Amino acid sequence: GESVGLHLPTLSVQEGDNSIINCAYSNSASDYFIWYKQESGKGPQFIIDIRSNMDKRQGQRVTVLLNKTVKHLSLQIAATQPGDSAVYFCAENRSGYALNFGKGTSLLVTP
Amino acid sequence: EAGVAQSPRYKIIEKRQSVAFWCNPISGHATLYWYQQILGQGPKLLIQFQNNGVVDDSQLPKDRFSAERLKGVDSTLKIQPAKLEDSAVYLCASSPRGAALGNEQFFGPGTRLTVL
């Protein structure tokens, strides 16, 4: 079936550096993408979303980039902090279909 | 605003036993979801309710899993009998409206099930 996957299972960055988490999707019909953050023992928490008619969206310290040509999504976290340590999931959605999550990337922020 | 509540937080059972999980969504949220999250993987949708009706249960193993949302508010998910491969975190989420794009889902903390 169609898949949403992440390039790297783990990412280690130093505090204060920028982080980039990547995600590939295979369904060209996907028209909505979301990034979730999941801390240990908690449910996923919405970070930022983007629709397929956009290629960039910015939030507070986070930016999502969408490249529909190569079916690639990335999450950029500026000035990464220890509290950013978590597993990050990308998810894709199509109208009338359930949210489809990828496997996740574990982000570890070191002092 | 209170979030999505789930109980219990942890449950350990032996295979072939039964187990039930409870979810109380955010007040006023019409849509409720149950997900299964196996260790190291993303959540997988089991069932979606719109008020008290089932919208999507295509990935629910109906021979052993059942779920209900009788009054369109709280929901229970049951497994009977449990198998070893059912060990996972069971997440409940709710959203204000249906499966429309951009309809943010709010997740509860999950119930971690271990089947021995």
Side-chain angles (χ1 to χ4, degrees):
Chain A
E2 303 288 359
S3 66
V4 177
L6 298 176
H7 291 308
L8 295 173
T10 60
L11 178 64
S12 183
V13 299
Q14 278 201 309
E15 182 178 356
D17 287 351
N18 296 335
S19 302
I20 300 176
I21 301 172
N22 296 304
C23 178
Y25 65 95
S26 57
N27 192 337
S28 58
S30 299
D31 44 21
Y32 178 61
F33 304 87
I34 313 108
W35 282 100
Y36 282 90
K37 173 186 179 183
Q38 187 172 25
E39 296 174 278
S40 181
K42 298 182 179 180
Q45 179 185 10
F46 174 93
I47 301 173
I48 191 168
D49 60 359
I50 188 168
R51 292 182 181 271
S52 59
N53 61 353
M54 304 170 67
D55 54 20
K56 180 179 180 179
R57 191 168 188 215
Q58 288 185 291
Q60 187 177 14
R61 284 203 306 119
V62 294
T63 301
V64 55
L65 299 178
L66 176 63
N67 185 330
K68 295 181 286 296
T69 302
V70 296
K71 298 177 190 171
H72 183 268
L73 191 69
S74 69
L75 176 70
Q76 300 178 2
I77 305 174
T80 313
Q81 303 169 359
D84 295 327
S85 292
V87 176
Y88 290 80
F89 293 97
C90 65
E92 60 94 6
N93 197 200
R94 289 167 282 151
S95 182
Y97 288 82
L99 206 56
N100 182 27
F101 283 83
K103 288 188 176 180
T105 291
S106 178
L107 176 65
L108 177 64
V109 182
T110 57
Chain B
E1 177 183 85
V4 176
Q6 290 187 247
S7 68
R9 291 297 313 277
Y10 304 92
K11 190 72 177 179
I12 300 174
I13 61 173
E14 294 188 347
K15 60 183 179 184
R16 292 188 288 273
Q17 286 188 321
S18 302
V19 65
F21 314 125
W22 173 82
C23 173
N24 180 234
I26 293 173
S27 178
H29 280 195
T31 308
L32 185 146
Y33 312 80
W34 282 103
Y35 289 86
Q36 180 192 59
Q37 185 175 24
I38 293 173
L39 186 64
Q41 297 184 18
K44 181 187 82 170
L45 180 71
L46 292 174
I47 190 168
Q48 175 184 341
F49 291 94
Q50 178 77 11
N51 297 310
N52 61 351
V54 176
V55 173
D56 182 357
D57 64 356
S58 57
Q59 298 192 82
L60 186 73
K62 298 179 186 65
D63 58 333
R64 298 184 300 106
F65 286 65
S66 64
E68 59 183 14
R69 193 185 184 200
L70 291 175
K71 296 183 179 179
V73 181
D74 293 3
S75 177
T76 56
L77 175 69
K78 297 179 182 178
I79 307 175
Q80 179 180 9
K83 292 185 176 181
L84 297 176
E85 59 261 35
D86 298 332
S87 294
V89 174
Y90 290 85
L91 294 162
C92 180
S94 69
S95 61
R97 300 179 303 279
L101 288 179
N103 192 17
E104 183 179 344
Q105 296 183 27
F106 297 82
F107 285 83
T111 297
R112 181 176 295 277
L113 174 67
T114 301
V115 182
L116 303 177

